[in-house]
Amino acid sequence: MALARQLAETKPTTTIGMALKCLGPVGLLAWDAGINDDPTQFSPHERVAAEFQAVNRAGSLASILPDHSSEGTMTECQADRAWAVTQAAAIDLSGLTILELNNLYDRFNGVADSWLAVSSQPWARASADGQCHVSTAGGRIVDCEQDRAGEIRNRIAEEIRRRAPADDLERNMRLETLIQFELLCEISLRHNPELRAEIAQAWGA
């Protein structure tokens, strides 16, 4: 079981490395079950066992992909995300009324949704479907704008959360925004007892 001990002591530095470490016990079990001598006759589990042991013995379990986490350089995706956050943070919301914040939340939420719909169009994607995809140059602009609008929307929600309404109208608009934002983030209100308490106090619900 020297291989098992070696596996336990391995510290993966990449996602694939960790996946292989997790798959290791599967490979070991398959190997221990009695592997065929002829590689062409390997079962799927036996192939996993042989490939995993070869990688582990070569000492490459922790370095299949380069680890850029400590290099101080951002990926293109990280750079785009940082740009969106910086753009949103540059907007001063402190002088806006609850009425203005309520209406701006609706507008930026709609804009973010619109950009998200555009990002799924074929011309905006270089490959793959679903959430994990590679964008074209034009699609990258769309992704950036969607992130920017979403970050501004999030900041508006946080700003209105801090406000104290002056009357019932402002209270209702504030709660309307907070409910929409909570449903957007959490799908339900079950995880926010403070908001539920505010709703009960305001509307007796």
Side-chain angles (χ1 to χ4, degrees):
M1 298 303 294
L3 186 60
R5 287 193 296 272
Q6 181 184 354
L7 173 62
E9 293 169 359
T10 301
K11 295 181 180 180
T13 59
T14 67
T15 302
I16 290 183
M18 179 57 76
L20 281 175
K21 181 171 182 177
C22 294
L23 286 172
V26 177
L28 288 172
L29 286 172
W31 188 279
D32 289 340
I35 199 163
N36 290 312
D37 293 329
D38 183 1
T40 63
Q41 301 301 314
F42 282 176
S43 71
H45 284 95
E46 289 170 336
R47 280 196 296 274
V48 170
E51 291 169 5
F52 177 80
Q53 291 207 19
V55 169
N56 202 46
R57 287 194 175 109
S60 54
L61 178 63
S63 58
I64 290 179
L65 291 178
D67 179 18
H68 298 297
S69 61
S70 61
E71 294 181 2
T73 57
M74 289 193 295
T75 65
E76 184 177 274
C77 182
Q78 290 171 328
D80 289 348
R81 179 68 179 163
W83 174 85
V85 171
T86 301
Q87 288 279 310
I91 298 177
D92 183 10
L93 302 173
S94 61
L96 302 183
T97 65
I98 288 180
L99 173 63
E100 291 169 328
L101 290 169
N102 174 263
N103 280 278
L104 284 173
Y105 178 89
D106 286 342
R107 300 304 179 271
F108 276 99
N109 190 46
V111 168
D113 286 346
S114 295
W115 281 123
L116 183 61
V118 173
S119 72
S120 64
Q121 295 183 7
W123 63 266
R125 296 193 172 189
S127 65
D129 294 321
Q131 292 182 341
C132 298
H133 66 274
V134 177
S135 298
T136 62
R140 183 183 174 191
I141 294 174
V142 171
D143 291 340
C144 286
E145 291 300 326
Q146 192 270 328
D147 275 347
R148 186 174 74 93
E151 283 298 321
I152 294 172
R153 173 202 60 208
N154 297 350
R155 283 204 59 228
I156 292 170
E158 289 306 316
E159 179 68 24
I160 205 169
R161 188 192 309 277
R162 293 192 290 267
R163 299 298 185 86
D167 52 35
D168 287 351
L169 179 60
E170 286 195 349
R171 179 202 64 192
N172 293 343
M173 287 188 294
R174 177 179 174 276
L175 285 176
E176 176 189 329
T177 300
L178 294 180
I179 291 169
Q180 288 183 40
F181 187 63
E182 186 70 16
L183 292 176
L184 175 69
C185 297
E186 301 291 343
I187 304 177
S188 76
L189 304 182
R190 57 184 293 194
H191 302 296
N192 195 332
E194 294 85 1
L195 180 56
R196 295 203 309 271
E198 281 195 55
I199 294 170
Q201 183 178 8
W203 299 329

